Amino acid sequence: MCCNWMCFSYTPFTYMETMKPLLPLPVLFYFNIMKCASPMVLLEFQCPTTQMCVDKCPEKFMTLVKAYTNKNDFDYYKTFCKEGVTNTMVSLTPWWRDGLCPAMLMPSKPFTRRCFPALGERGGVITVGNNSKFDDGRGNMRDAKDLLDGVTNATVVIEARQVVMKIFEDFTQSWYWILIGLVIAMLTSLLFIVLLRFLAGIMVWVMIVMVILVIGYGIFHCYMEYAALKGTAGSDVTLQQLGFQTDFAVYLQIRQTWLAFMIILAIVEVIIILLLIFLRKRILIAIALIKEASRAIGHVMSSLFYPLFTFVLLAMVVAYWAVTAVFLSTSNEPIYKVFNETACDYSRTTCNPANYSTSLEKARCPDSMCLFAFYGGETAYHKYLIGLQFYNVFLFFWCANFVTALGQMTLAGAFASYYWAFVKPDDMPAFPVFSSLGRSLRYHTGTLAFGSLILSIVQIIRVLLEYLDHKLQGAQNKCTKFLLCCMKCCFWCLEKFVKFINRNAYIIVAIYGKNFCTSAREGFFLLMRNMVRVAVLDKVTDFLLFLGKLLIVGLVGIFAFFFFSGRVKAFESTAPHLHYYWVPILTVVVLSYFIAHGFFSVYAMCVDTLFLCFCEDLERNDGSAERPYYMSSTLHEILWKNAAEDPSSARQRADEDIELK
């Protein structure tokens, strides 16, 4: 493979006017690889030294000063110089001022189509070309170990680029199979929700057993892989000894990797089993509540398909944000600045590489170079570009939260119309979901926007804290690090609390039509007055629905693993050939969870709405002929029995009866 694409990729650090024409040159040569030792190389993924494609790597030590005095040596040396270099040109202007040739050559070997110093070790001392020291071309003798950091960073950059390219190639080879996997996840979620509507009790127990079996199979598979690697050469190496590897398949050849997976899955399995044992009585009540939610969904069947509408709106929001972000990012221009090693009045000022050799800056500072600095600009627009990016992220949060809030209020209004219908389903609207969506958009758009705004402000502050943490990572002390960690933790908790407040506020708005602040206050204190019921019943139901999401993700993930890894012979000829088969597997697993979450959110919203309506019904009515309960007899039996089992709830109910009298 020729090196042409490399010449193009590194032009920001070369003299544009003297770049070699495109030739089939196989390897890339660094003028001064020690400049790759800068930590910025790992951030910018570029080495700030001139790079060019050559026919082969240098094979011996040589400096330009010594090579110039010998015609044969210089004929060899100039094959590593820029195009058109002659003895006359170099003699007219010192080489270190023009940068037309490297200061020195050293024995190098090609690796990943790049020339790297031929480093070795002798008697515990790092050597290059069997020498522990080398002449840097400026009359200084340097230790060979000085080359290590540059070689290491350049290798990391190369490997990182290769990993990114391989991942991109894997996506191009498997994108349609990923889509098929996501369609399977969507159909599985929809089927599970429909079955839950008609067979709620059976499906919940099937779900619990299947989750335990799926995790158990994961433990068994990890053990089999762990046992199969016993005695294999190199499999007993620890993860710490192996270090970071860009070829992630290497980790799967280590026994310790499968042992870690097995321990993690075993811990998850034990936690789930213990929770099921301790919550067994509450689970029976939660199953009955899910059955009641299934009856409500049975009268509002269109609610099962509402997540598709939310998904379309969110896709539009993400697409708008992505397009805007790309336009902002690509509006930058390459900025070149003057770099020099001696005092210069023009240091770090902008320059034009096309005519820099004849410019005033070059004449005043002969040893300076015009090198690429960054992508950006010097105008007011470019200075505030990072602010525009943050504003774009803020708008993304606001719009995405608005779409989510619209879905929550729409479903809450539909299920509230079921609960507050005295004769079900005769007193319900003909189209509950469409009626609730119309009310939300017509009367409560401001409420949705205000609630979303509060949540978005908290989220953008979290993003700013992460940005500051990244920028101050190299200079921060322990006190600053501790403060940032505390602030990030506090705002994470605040975000969760705001989401909790907003969700219940939207339910109250859907019931009464009040403003956001009033609804948030009433919803919060209503739940506080029924804290026991919230803790032991509503959250147990959420746990069961979470197990349903895990089941769908586990089933789809196991299918994706056997398909993309080629472990099943029936799929060997069908599955795409990939560099990293875990790339499509992880993609399918993560996106499958979001798909399952979208469908199960209907049940979660139904349970939360019915629960809040039940608490409100208890406070507004007493079950008499004048003020009858709106709850169904089944829901009354479920939740009243749960309240009767708890002494604090019994005392609270007695106090409520006294107040009513």
Side-chain angles (χ1 to χ4, degrees):
M1 179 177 179
C2 74
C3 193
N4 297 344
W5 66 274
M6 297 176 187
C7 291
F8 280 117
S9 63
Y10 290 92
T11 48
F13 294 101
T14 59
Y15 288 101
M16 306 290 286
E17 68 272 19
T18 58
M19 188 178 69
K20 286 190 176 183
L22 297 179
L23 296 172
L25 303 175
V27 289
L28 186 73
F29 172 70
Y30 297 88
F31 269 32
N32 186 0
I33 197 169
M34 287 186 291
K35 289 190 176 181
C36 299
S38 170
M40 295 302 295
V41 171
L42 300 178
L43 298 177
E44 299 174 351
F45 287 96
Q46 282 283 24
C47 185
T49 185
T50 304
Q51 303 162 36
M52 55 181 286
C53 299
V54 296
D55 183 51
K56 61 180 181 178
C57 298
E59 300 172 347
K60 52 186 176 181
F61 285 107
M62 192 176 293
T63 63
L64 181 60
V65 175
K66 294 180 180 179
Y68 175 68
T69 60
N70 187 301
K71 183 179 183 302
N72 293 330
D73 287 345
F74 188 75
D75 288 339
Y76 172 79
Y77 200 99
K78 70 180 182 181
T79 59
F80 301 97
C81 297
K82 294 181 179 179
E83 187 72 18
V85 170
T86 62
N87 298 57
T88 305
M89 178 181 295
V90 176
S91 64
L92 292 175
T93 4
W95 57 268
W96 58 83
R97 295 183 180 179
D98 288 348
L100 301 179
C101 296
M104 50 81 185
L105 300 179
M106 66 180 65
S108 304
K109 294 181 180 180
F111 176 71
T112 63
R113 295 187 295 276
R114 270 90 169 168
C115 292
F116 287 113
L119 296 175
E121 186 176 358
R122 187 175 58 188
V125 179
I126 302 298
T127 62
V128 55
N130 295 324
N131 294 326
S132 60
K133 294 183 178 293
F134 66 95
D135 188 345
D136 66 356
R138 298 176 181 271
N140 302 317
M141 296 301 295
R142 305 284 295 270
D143 291 329
K145 65 180 182 180
D146 295 342
L147 297 168
L148 277 178
D149 290 339
V151 173
T152 301
N153 286 357
T155 304
V156 170
V157 171
I158 294 167
E159 292 179 346
R161 287 177 178 273
Q162 289 178 340
V163 169
V164 172
M165 290 299 296
K166 288 180 180 179
I167 291 176
F168 180 77
E169 290 175 5
D170 287 344
F171 276 121
T172 59
Q173 293 290 328
S174 61
W175 65 269
Y176 47 90
W177 293 110
I178 293 175
L179 290 180
I180 293 175
L182 297 181
V183 171
I184 292 174
M186 184 179 67
L187 295 178
T188 305
S189 301
L190 184 59
L191 177 63
F192 196 91
I193 291 295
V194 172
L195 291 176
L196 200 61
R197 156 68 185 92
F198 296 102
L199 304 169
I202 297 175
M203 288 302 298
V204 169
W205 286 113
V206 169
M207 175 182 67
I208 293 173
V209 174
M210 287 293 293
V211 168
I212 295 175
L213 291 178
V214 168
I215 298 178
Y217 173 77
I219 297 173
F220 171 76
H221 181 81
C222 291
Y223 173 76
M224 295 301 295
E225 293 287 349
Y226 175 78
L229 289 173
K230 185 177 182 180
T232 305
S235 62
D236 291 326
V237 177
T238 64
L239 294 174
Q240 185 177 5
Q241 293 173 339
L242 185 63
F244 176 75
Q245 301 290 328
T246 55
D247 186 2
F248 296 100
V250 174
Y251 293 106
L252 300 181
Q253 308 301 320
I254 305 300
R255 298 186 75 204
Q256 196 177 75
T257 303
W258 294 105
L259 179 62
F261 287 158
M262 184 169 58
I263 293 174
I264 293 172
L265 290 177
I267 293 174
V268 173
E269 182 91 324
V270 171
I271 291 175
I272 291 177
I273 292 176
L274 290 177
L275 286 174
L276 292 173
I277 292 174
F278 287 113
L279 299 175
R280 60 188 182 278
K281 292 183 178 179
R282 302 301 180 187
I283 288 175
L284 295 175
I285 301 175
I287 290 174
L289 183 58
I290 291 176
K291 288 182 180 179
E292 184 64 23
S294 298
R295 294 189 185 95
I297 291 177
H299 294 293
V300 194
M301 286 296 291
S302 56
S303 62
L304 294 177
F305 301 96
Y306 187 84
L308 299 177
F309 177 67
T310 301
F311 174 77
V312 172
L313 293 180
L314 286 176
M316 294 171 61
V317 171
V318 172
Y320 174 78
W321 165 79
V323 170
T324 305
V326 169
F327 269 103
L328 289 174
S329 300
T330 55
S331 62
N332 287 320
E333 299 173 352
I335 301 300
Y336 295 84
K337 292 197 173 185
V338 176
F339 290 87
N340 59 291
E341 298 182 4
T342 58
C344 177
D345 295 336
Y346 298 98
S347 178
R348 299 304 187 269
T349 59
T350 57
C351 57
N352 184 0
N355 58 1
Y356 186 72
S357 59
T358 59
S359 65
L360 176 64
E361 293 89 342
K362 184 66 175 178
R364 297 284 181 87
C365 306
D367 63 338
S368 64
M369 294 183 292
C370 184
L371 300 178
F372 172 79
F374 56 86
Y375 278 102
E378 301 295 333
T379 64
Y381 165 77
H382 290 97
K383 290 180 180 179
Y384 293 104
L385 195 59
I386 184 65
L388 295 176
Q389 287 284 20
F390 273 110
Y391 180 69
N392 185 41
V393 172
F394 173 73
L395 288 182
F396 167 73
F397 285 145
W398 196 358
C399 294
N401 291 328
F402 181 87
V403 171
T404 303
L406 176 63
Q408 292 176 346
M409 184 177 289
T410 299
L411 293 175
F415 295 129
S417 66
Y418 163 82
Y419 184 94
W420 297 109
F422 194 75
V423 180
K424 301 176 177 59
D426 297 341
D427 293 343
M428 293 176 58
F431 302 101
V433 173
F434 290 104
S435 300
S436 179
L437 178 62
R439 289 194 303 270
S440 301
L441 292 175
R442 183 177 181 182
Y443 300 109
H444 306 306
T445 304
T447 298
L448 296 172
F450 184 66
S452 304
L453 175 64
I454 296 174
L455 181 57
S456 301
I457 291 174
V458 176
Q459 290 173 333
I460 198 65
I461 292 175
R462 289 191 62 199
V463 172
L464 287 171
L465 289 175
E466 293 291 343
Y467 177 77
L468 289 176
D469 189 22
H470 175 72
K471 286 295 183 181
L472 300 176
Q473 195 134 21
Q476 66 186 355
N477 54 32
K478 292 184 178 180
C479 181
T480 306
K481 187 175 182 179
F482 174 76
L483 290 176
L484 276 175
C485 184
C486 290
M487 292 180 67
K488 289 193 290 184
C489 180
C490 291
F491 276 95
W492 179 84
C493 296
L494 180 61
E495 180 183 355
K496 297 299 180 183
F497 179 74
V498 170
K499 286 183 177 180
F500 173 77
I501 292 294
N502 284 6
R503 185 181 181 90
N504 294 291
Y506 298 144
I507 296 175
I508 297 297
V509 171
I511 297 173
Y512 292 111
K514 299 180 180 179
N515 62 55
F516 177 82
C517 295
T518 302
S519 300
R521 184 182 67 252
E522 292 184 0
F524 177 74
F525 286 111
L526 180 62
L527 290 177
M528 291 300 101
R529 292 192 294 270
N530 296 270
M531 178 59 69
V532 176
R533 294 188 180 107
V534 173
V536 302
L537 184 60
D538 192 47
K539 296 309 172 186
V540 173
T541 307
D542 291 341
F543 172 68
L544 293 179
L545 295 178
F546 175 72
L547 290 183
K549 300 173 192 176
L550 286 185
L551 175 61
I552 292 173
V553 171
L555 292 175
V556 176
I558 290 175
F559 173 78
F561 172 77
F562 281 110
F563 179 79
F564 289 110
S565 64
R567 299 296 180 92
V568 180
K569 293 184 179 180
F571 297 145
E572 285 183 346
S573 59
T574 307
H577 298 285
L578 306 173
H579 299 288
Y580 307 120
Y581 65 81
W582 52 264
V583 171
I585 294 175
L586 287 181
T587 305
V588 169
V589 166
V590 173
L591 296 181
S592 294
Y593 177 81
F594 287 110
I595 291 174
H597 175 74
F599 282 97
F600 277 88
S601 64
V602 175
Y603 257 89
M605 199 68 203
C606 181
V607 170
D608 290 346
T609 303
L610 293 180
F611 184 79
L612 211 60
C613 289
F614 167 81
C615 297
E616 183 70 13
D617 196 9
L618 283 181
E619 295 191 356
R620 289 175 51 183
N621 305 303
D622 58 3
S624 63
E626 293 79 12
R627 291 189 298 173
Y629 290 129
Y630 281 82
M631 70 187 77
S632 65
S633 57
T634 306
L635 186 62
H636 180 273
E637 180 182 356
I638 296 168
L639 298 179
W640 199 261
K641 177 181 178 182
N642 174 65
E645 291 177 354
D646 188 84
S648 62
S649 297
R651 288 194 298 270
Q652 179 183 348
R653 189 170 66 256
D655 295 339
E656 292 173 353
D657 292 340
I658 292 173
E659 292 176 0
L660 290 173
K661 292 178 181 179

